[in-house]
Amino acid sequence: KFETKRSAKLDHAIIQRIEPASVLADRVAIDLVRLLSPGEGALVGSSSKALALIHAETLPSSLVAPRPFRINAGPIHSYILMADGTTKYLSELLPGDHIAIVHAQRKGETRSVAIGRLKIETRPHLRVDFTQHSEHSTDVNEFQVFLQHTETVRLLALDSTSQNTTPQIVATSITMLKPGDIFLASFSGALFGTHCGSSIPARVVER
């Protein structure tokens, strides 16, 4: 049974550029105590106002077998959405903490899953710069998410080659993504900031 606790509002983000990070970063791999399914992931980003949906390692790759309990969440400075709706830095996470696991194909349904282990290792990263992609949005702010430069890290992207009227959402390796591609993210809006992990009605500038 899918354990729905709350729902995350998912919007479209468009990639403006993808660049190698100028330095190595300390990456956090989150190993969970429950198995995850294709389409599930966690919301992570450099700004609490714009969190990218990072897909779990449920799919095979040329490098390793699937690890359907793991999310490669990126560097320690990044925010992650917790099960109670607050955010934490990846550096603050501990075994036993519950993060929000979001299902892309179920309109952002979430469930609470506990962390079993955290693996922090220094790895090369990409920087993905993006903006909100919406006809109704006036937010032109640019955000970024740093992700390990490896085939097993995937975003939930729209398949531009699909012949369907409604584009399909596909877990796409960041090594295959390019500027102009659209992926799923969650935006909190310019009128809200974050204080100690909780959203507050205040203007907070993050660069």
Side-chain angles (χ1 to χ4, degrees):
K1 181 179 173 55
F2 196 78
E3 303 163 321
T4 303
K5 299 298 183 184
R6 58 178 68 230
S7 181
K9 185 178 184 296
L10 298 178
D11 293 303
H12 290 169
I14 184 167
I15 296 174
Q16 300 298 326
R17 68 191 64 83
I18 300 179
E19 299 180 357
S22 58
V23 295
L24 296 175
D26 293 330
R27 180 268 291 145
V28 181
I30 303 173
D31 291 347
L32 300 164
V33 300
R34 300 290 301 273
L35 291 174
L36 304 181
S37 302
E40 287 189 300
L43 286 165
V44 178
S46 293
S47 170
S48 60
K49 298 178 183 178
L51 302 175
L53 185 55
I54 312 302
H55 194 259
E57 293 189 14
T58 59
L59 303 176
S61 75
S62 62
L63 301 175
V64 294
R67 293 183 171 94
F69 52 83
R70 174 170 295 172
I71 296 172
N72 186 328
I76 55 173
H77 80 284
S78 300
Y79 292 98
I80 186 169
L81 183 67
M82 305 302 290
D84 62 1
T86 63
T87 57
K88 278 188 175 183
Y89 297 121
L90 293 180
S91 63
E92 297 176 323
L93 295 178
L94 295 170
D97 285 348
H98 285 70
I99 65 171
I101 295 299
V102 181
H103 203 304
Q105 277 84 27
R106 297 186 181 181
K107 299 181 180 179
E109 285 186 350
T110 72
R111 58 175 172 147
S112 172
V113 180
I115 296 170
R117 173 178 56 234
L118 297 156
K119 293 186 65 179
I120 302 174
E121 300 169 295
T122 303
R123 293 288 184 269
H125 282 63
L126 294 174
R127 191 186 80 210
V128 181
D129 296 338
F130 62 94
T131 55
Q132 188 169 5
H133 182 65
S134 171
E135 296 178 358
H136 308 292
S137 174
T138 59
D139 187 357
V140 294
N141 290 323
E142 192 167 282
F143 304 97
Q144 60 277 148
V145 60
F146 287 81
L147 297 168
Q148 185 181 343
H149 188 187
T150 182
E151 175 188 337
T152 56
V153 177
R154 295 176 168 90
L155 295 176
L156 276 298
L158 271 61
D159 182 5
S160 59
T161 65
S162 174
Q163 300 300 312
N164 296 331
T165 305
T166 303
Q168 300 297 301
I169 299 171
V170 179
T172 306
S173 172
I174 61 166
T175 60
M176 302 296 293
L177 291 170
K178 62 187 183 303
D181 286 343
I182 296 171
F183 65 92
L184 297 182
S186 180
F187 296 88
S188 64
L191 298 179
F192 289 89
T194 301
H195 178 67
C196 296
S198 297
S199 181
I200 58 172
R203 184 175 182 270
V204 178
V205 177
E206 292 178 313
R207 297 178 179 174

